[in-house]
Amino acid sequence: MSGSPARGAAVRGGPLGLRKTWTELMAGRVKKQKYNPEREQKLKDSALQLLRYHQNMNDLLLEVEDPQCKKLCLSKLIDRDGTSAYSDQSSSFIPSAFRDQALALGVPVGILSARVFAHSVQQVCLEPSHPVLLSSEQRKKLSSLLEVSQHLLARNMFSRLTFCQELWKAQNSLLLEAVWCLHTNNIVSLQELLQSHPDTQAMTMWLFRNLCILCEQMEASCLSSDTTKAMLSGFVQLLVSRGFQESSDPRPVEPEKMPRVATHVLQRMLTFALDTLDADPHVTSASQTVRGWFRVYSGHICCGMTAVDSLKSFFSRTLTQILTHKPGLKVSDAVQMQKEWSFAKTCHLLTTLYCRVFVTLGPEESVGRLQEVLETQEVNWQHVLSCLSTLVVCFPEAQQLVKDWVACLMARAFESYHLDSMVTAFLIVRQATLEGPFVFPSYADWFKESFGSSLGYHSCSKKTLVFLFKFLSDLVPWEPARYMQVHIFHPPLVPSKYHSLLTDYISLAKTRLADLKVSLENVGLYENLSSSGDIAEPRSQAIQDVEKAVVVFEQTGKIPMAVMEASIFRRPYYLSHFLPALLTPRVLPEVPDSRVTFIETLKRADKIPSSLYDAYRQACAAAEEKQPEDATPGRRTEPECAEQPLGLLTAALEELRALMTDPTQYDVISAQVAVVSERLSAALGHSSDDGSLRRAKIQLSILTPTLRTQDQEVVDLLLTAFCQDQMAASSFVTPERQSPWAVLFVRTLCGHVLFPAVLTRLCQLLYHQGPSLSTPHVLGLAALAVHLGESKSILPEVDPGVLASADSLCVPEFLNSLLTCRTRESLLFCMKFCTAAISYCVCKFAAQPLAALNNCLSPGLIKRFQFVMLRVFSEARAPCPPEHTASVSWRPLYLPSADWQSAALCLWRWGSFQELWKEKGFYLTYRDWVQMELEIQPEVDVLSDTERHDFHQWAIYEHFVPAPSALGGCDGDLEIACTVLVSELMDFHQS
C-alpha cells in the first residue's frame, strides 16, 4: 500500500498530491511540433464537419450573443400568413444575420444557410396530410420559406449542393410536392436534386413509390388536379429527356447516374402497370395508379418535350418492354389461346396504351419495331398478338403493312426453311382474321390464296411441300378445330405424285378432330371456318344453315351452291341435319313464301327424297288441322332476336355516337367500330360465311323487296345509328375534318353477310318510301351512298331484276336506279337526295372534289340532278355566271330549317360543278333527258301545253345544242332530230 502514492504522483507528473493543468500537459508536445498551417486548416475543417453533422443549425442561431441574431428563427418567418412575409426589412436583416453567424462559427455562409433551410423544409413536411401533396397551410409556410431562399440565392449565400445533400438525409419524410416547389421556384432543379442523391437504388425506389402515389391521386379525386398533372408531367419530361438523350460524343464514357436512374424509374413504372394488368386490372387502388401512369403516354403530358428523338426513343423502348414483358408463353400456348387476345377481349387500359404508343411512333415504325423484336428477343405472345390486333383495328393504314410483312415472312420461310418465320406468319394472319373481314381477309381466303394454286409458296419443290406439311402436322396437337377444317376443306394444291403427303396430314387432322368429338360431316354449310368461336351443335348449326340458304335463295332465285355441293359431297350432313331442319312441319301459307318455294325447287331438282317430302307434307297438313282459331294462317315462327346481343349492339352504337363530338376521342373511334362489328355478329344470330358471298352477285327485287324480321331490326338499328352519327359529327365539324368513322362503319357493313339485307332495306326506303323520309334520314343515307361508292371495288354487283337495263349494276348505279321521278313528291325527294349526296361528297373530299364525284357517285346521279334542276327550277334555266367559290357548304343542310332550293341552286351555280357536267360521261344528253322525262306521270306537270313546248324548245336549243355529239352521233339535221324527239315526247304525254 505504501507504494501507491508514489506511483500516483508519478502519473500526475508533479509533487505528491498536485495535478498539472491541461495546458501544462500539452506544453511539451507543442514545443516538440513545428507550426504547420496546412495541419491547422485540416483540423479546423474536421471540427467544422463534426459540427455540421451533429448540430441543429436552426437552434444554433439562438446561441449567438448578438441580440439581433437571437431574433433569427426561420420558423417564425414561415409561420406568417401569405407569401409576403419576407418584408423589405427582413431582406437585409436575414442575410446579415446569416453572414454574422457564419463568421462566428467559421463556416461558409452558403453551407450554413443551406443546412438551415433544408432543416426548415423537413419541418414543413412533418405530419403530412397526404403521402405526396402538401396541405394548404404547408404550402403557405413553404412559399414564405422559398421566398427567403431566393434572396439568399441572389446574393450567392446559398449552397445548392449542400441543400440537396441535407434534404436527402430525411427523404422518407420529404413530400414530392415540396420537391416540385423547389424546382418550380428555381431553388434547385429536379435534375440537381436527383443527381445529388448518394444512393442510386434508394433514390430510384423513393421516386418510384412517390410517382405511384401521385398517379393514384390523379385518378382518385379532383383535389389539386392541376398540381398533380403538372408534377407528373414535369417529372416524366425530366426522366425521358435525361434517360433517352442522345450523346454527341462518339467516345465511350462512363454512364452517368442520372440517365440510369431515369430509365430504371420509367421501366419500374411500366413493369408495375403490366404486372397489375396481368394480375387483376379491376383492383381499385392499383388500377387507379395504372390509369394515372398511362396518361403519361398521351400527347398533352409529353407536349413540353422539345427533343422529338428522345420522345420517340422512349416510346420505342416502351413498346419493346411491353412485347418482352414476362415471356413465359410458348408458341403452342399462343396457337391455343390467341382467340382470347382479340382487340375486343383485351383490357381497355392496355389497348389504350398501345394506341398512344402507335400514335407517336406511327404505323410504319410500329410494325418495324414489332418485326425487330420478334426476330431478336423472346416475347410475350399475348402482348404481341393483342398489340397486333390493336394496330390493325385502330390504324387502317397498318393493315397493308401487316399483309406485306406476312408475305415477306412466308417468302423467307420457304426460301430458307425458317420455321420461326412460318410460325410468326401464321400467328399474325390468324390474329388479324379474328378482327373481321373489314380488317383482314378470312383465314380460309388467305390459306387458299397462299397454297391453293400452282403459284403457292409451297410449289417450288418436294422439299417445300414436306416443310409445309411437317409444319401443319406439328400444329395439330394444339390447333383449334376450325383451322384444321379449313386445311381439310381447302387443302393445298399438291402434285399427284406427292399426294401421300396431303393424305397423311388429312388422316392426322381427322384423328385429332375425332378426339375433339368434332365430325367433319356436322360442319355447317355456311359456317365461318375462320372464326375462333366454339363449334355449334349440328342441330343448331343446321337451323342457321337453313335460314341462310333461304336468304340466299331469295336474293338469287337459285339453289345456293353450298346446298348443291352438300347434296353431292356431304350427303350425311345434308340428309341427317340440313333437310330435317328445312322440312320442319308448320302451317303452310296460302301464298307460298320463300321457304315453300325453296323446298319445291329442291324437290323438282331431285334434292329431296320422295319419302321425306311426303312425310313433310303430311305433317304440315296435320298441323293445319290442329291450328287454333285465333292463329294467323301461314304465319311462320321467326327465330327471336336475343335481347342481350341486340342490346349490347345498341349500347356499342351509342358509345360510338358519344365519341363523335369529342376530338380528344378520335383515336378510339376505330376501336369502338371494332366492338360494333363484334357485337353485330352476335346480334345477327347466324355466322357469316367465308367471304364468298361478298364476291357473288346479289339479286334483289326492287318492286317487292322483303326482309326477315330479325335482319330488318338489325339493319334499321345500323342505318338509324349511321344517320344519327352523321348528324352528330356534322353539327360539330365539317365532313372533311371528321374522323374516319364513316369509312370504318361502312366497311363493317360491307364485310358482314348482312350486306344484301342492307341493300334491300335501302331499296325499301329510297324507292318506296323516299318522299316520307325526314331530313336527317335523307342526309344520312346520302352520305352512306357516297361511302358505299367509295368502297365499290370490294362490293358485289347487284341484279335488280326487270327494272334494270343491264344484267347487273355496281352499287352506286344500283342506288341511282332507286331514285325515280314518277310523282311530284318523288321528284322533290330526288332533288334533295342528289343535292345532299353531291354536297357531302364535295365537302368530304375537298382536296379533290371532282375526282371524288367520279369515284364515289354514279354519273347517272349527276345527270339526274341536272334534269331535276332544269325541270323544276326556272332559275336554273336562266343565264347566270358561275360562282367560283372554293367549295359548296354542307352545313346548312343539317340545320332544322334547311332550305333545299337554295342549297340546290348554290350547288348548280358552283363553277367547278358546271365544269364537271360539261365533261363527257356527266353531260346530260337529250336522250337521257327524254328518258327521264318519260318517267314523269302527267300529274307532275304544272306547265300549260304552250309553256311545256317552250320549255322543251329551250332545253333543245340552250342545253343540248352546245354538245351535239351527245345525241349519239346524229348525222342528220340537229333541229329535225330534236323536233322528232319532242314530237314523240308530246305524243307520250297526250297518251
Side-chain angles (χ1 to χ4, degrees), residues 201-216:
Q201 184 175 1
M203 195 256 294
T204 301
M205 290 302 301
W206 177 86
L207 188 54
F208 163 72
R209 184 173 61 254
N210 279 271
L211 286 177
C212 287
I213 299 173
L214 182 64
C215 292
E216 181 183 352

Side-chain angles (χ1 to χ4, degrees), residues 91 130 204 212 326 393 436 472 533 560 563 692 699 746 757 863 954:
S91 65
H130 190 276
T204 301
C212 287
K326 293 185 177 179
V393 166
L472 295 178
V563 176
S692 59
Q699 183 171 353
V746 171
K863 293 180 179 181
W954 173 87

Side-chain angles (χ1 to χ4, degrees), residues 383-595:
H383 287 175
V384 169
L385 297 178
S386 61
C387 175
L388 179 74
S389 284
T390 304
L391 183 62
V392 296
V393 166
C394 298
F395 298 87
E397 58 271 30
Q399 295 168 11
Q400 187 58 48
L401 296 173
V402 172
K403 293 176 183 178
D404 296 341
W405 180 20
V406 170
C408 291
L409 287 171
M410 293 295 293
R412 181 168 56 173
F414 282 92
E415 285 174 2
S416 57
Y417 307 101
H418 193 249
L419 185 60
D420 288 346
S421 296
M422 192 80 157
V423 170
T424 303
F426 269 71
L427 286 175
I428 290 173
V429 168
R430 292 181 179 185
Q431 192 68 26
T433 57
L434 290 176
E435 305 306 333
F438 81 101
V439 170
F440 205 87
S442 68
Y443 180 73
D445 282 347
W446 176 83
F447 192 81
K448 287 187 291 185
E449 182 180 353
S450 300
F451 306 106
S453 70
S454 59
L455 301 178
Y457 296 105
H458 65 300
S459 59
C460 299
S461 63
K462 180 181 178 181
K463 191 174 182 180
T464 56
L465 281 172
V466 172
F467 176 69
L468 172 63
F469 286 109
K470 174 68 166 56
F471 169 75
L472 295 178
S473 300
D474 290 342
L475 286 180
V476 166
W478 299 280
E479 191 150 41
R482 291 188 180 274
Y483 295 121
M484 287 185 283
Q485 291 169 354
V486 170
H487 302 159
I488 293 173
F489 285 121
H490 308 288
L493 182 63
V494 179
S496 57
K497 59 181 178 180
Y498 302 129
H499 199 69
S500 59
L501 295 173
L502 175 61
T503 56
D504 290 345
Y505 168 76
I506 291 178
S507 299
L508 179 63
K510 286 184 176 181
T511 303
R512 175 59 178 164
L513 290 174
D515 294 339
L516 296 174
K517 298 181 180 180
V518 176
S519 173
L520 283 176
E521 300 301 334
N522 294 336
V523 175
L525 305 184
Y526 295 98
E527 196 168 16
N528 183 4
L529 299 178
S530 298
S531 171
S532 61
D534 294 332
I535 297 176
E537 291 294 327
R539 186 175 182 280
S540 61
Q541 181 62 54
I543 294 174
Q544 295 178 11
D545 286 342
V546 168
E547 296 292 336
K548 178 64 178 301
V550 172
V551 171
V552 175
F553 178 77
E554 289 176 350
Q555 298 165 356
T556 63
K558 301 177 182 178
I559 298 175
M561 185 59 64
V563 176
M564 294 293 289
E565 291 176 351
S567 67
I568 300 173
F569 301 107
R570 301 184 57 199
R571 287 189 65 81
Y573 174 79
Y574 179 77
L575 294 175
S576 302
H577 299 289
F578 180 79
L579 285 183
L582 175 64
L583 301 178
T584 301
R586 61 175 181 139
V587 178
L588 298 178
E590 295 179 3
V591 178
D593 59 7
S594 300
R595 191 185 188 105

